[in-house]
Amino acid sequence: MTKLTKLCALLATTALMTGAAWAEIGEHVLRLGTPLPDGHPLSQAAVKFADLVAEKSGGKIEVKVYPGATLGNELQMQSALQGGTQDFSIGTTTTLAGMVPEFSAIDMPYQFRSTAEADAILDGEIGTQLFAKLEPKGLIGLAYMEQGFRHTTNSTRPITRWEDFEGLKIRVQPSALYIDMFNQLGANAVPMTINEVYTAMETRAIDGHENSLTAIDANKFQEVQKYLSLTGHSYNAVVLLMGKPSFDKLNEEEMQIIREAAAEARDFQRDLTRAQTEGLLAKLAEDGMEVNEVTPEEQQRLAERLQPVVDANRDSIGAEWMAAFTSALEKLR
């Protein structure tokens, strides 16, 4: 047999094997919703995920992406996932704390010092254990992404110390922890889903909000907010979820495709978010926002002011879990 004949035989065998593998993958059309506009890194990651799934499945699995809360807010989408009427969503881990309180550990004020710490915790044993707690609730955790560190905007005054929060109506995520945090700082915390925030700030129903730089820019909040104060009060993780009813319909090979695509989309999203964040302060300033730093000393005062919130929520989350979380962080340091 000549070398050419052998090569042709090998290619034919490979083609048959590839065809056989794809033959085991069924035709699926799945829906993925995100709460943020299509220009945001999370929505871009959703498109990346869809492309990867299509590629890995030979075009047999199609993921349709619906950005900008088209399919509902984060809580509504989670409910749809549990009910089997939606397949995927991307949203903050904060909104999962109502069903799995241990997720609140991620959002504790001044918990993480860097994104590298957050990656190590969420991609490690702690993150795996949190995903395991979701499955009995009808959700499958596929990958952790990020909004990043959160800061504060408002239309009244710069915030340079915790006392500057006094009396401000600040939108927070629909989370008991965030409500407690901003009330403790003297603000009037107003829980609200992200798709309602622009109008609420434009009409001055609220004075401001807290969010990541990428979310501020993607939602064009600089159009209705004057001051951006770099409080860095918490780190906000995001999770790509799949509804268990949808996941259970897949065979092993299809599940593997979904998991591999999720991991690759996670890395894409983190890199994109961090690259964009580096240039956003200058852009937001050019767009008219007055940006101010909060000194390390004042951030320490903020952390001390929020310590009672940490202590109170430690009990509701579970002292044993918080101890394990803190221990994992200390090992990194």
Side-chain angles (χ1 to χ4, degrees), residues 4 54 84 131 158 170 177 185 219 229 236 241 261 288 294 296 326:
L4 180 59
F131 275 170
I170 300 292
L177 174 62
L185 294 172
N219 288 285
S229 302
N236 201 196
L241 295 171
V294 177
T326 303

Side-chain angles (χ1 to χ4, degrees), residues 151-162:
H151 306 288
T152 309
T153 75
N154 79 98
S155 297
T156 304
R157 55 180 174 264
I159 293 169
T160 61
R161 54 183 190 153
W162 73 257

Side-chain angles (χ1 to χ4, degrees), residues 108 306-316:
M108 285 291 192
L306 291 169
Q307 189 59 44
V309 175
V310 174
D311 295 339
N313 281 273
R314 181 183 289 112
D315 292 338
S316 63

Side-chain angles (χ1 to χ4, degrees), residues 41 50-51 53 56 87 146 201 231 258-259 266 281 283 301:
D51 290 344
V53 170
K56 293 174 184 293
D87 306 293
E146 72 171 20
M201 292 193 295
T231 49
I258 295 298
R259 292 195 183 280
R266 172 202 64 201
L281 286 180
K283 179 183 183 302
R301 290 187 68 238

Side-chain angles (χ1 to χ4, degrees), residues 292-313:
N292 71 278
E293 298 275 354
V294 177
T295 67
E297 293 78 16
E298 289 300 330
Q299 285 196 354
Q300 180 59 37
R301 290 187 68 238
L302 276 162
E304 291 169 357
R305 178 68 180 177
L306 291 169
Q307 189 59 44
V309 175
V310 174
D311 295 339
N313 281 273

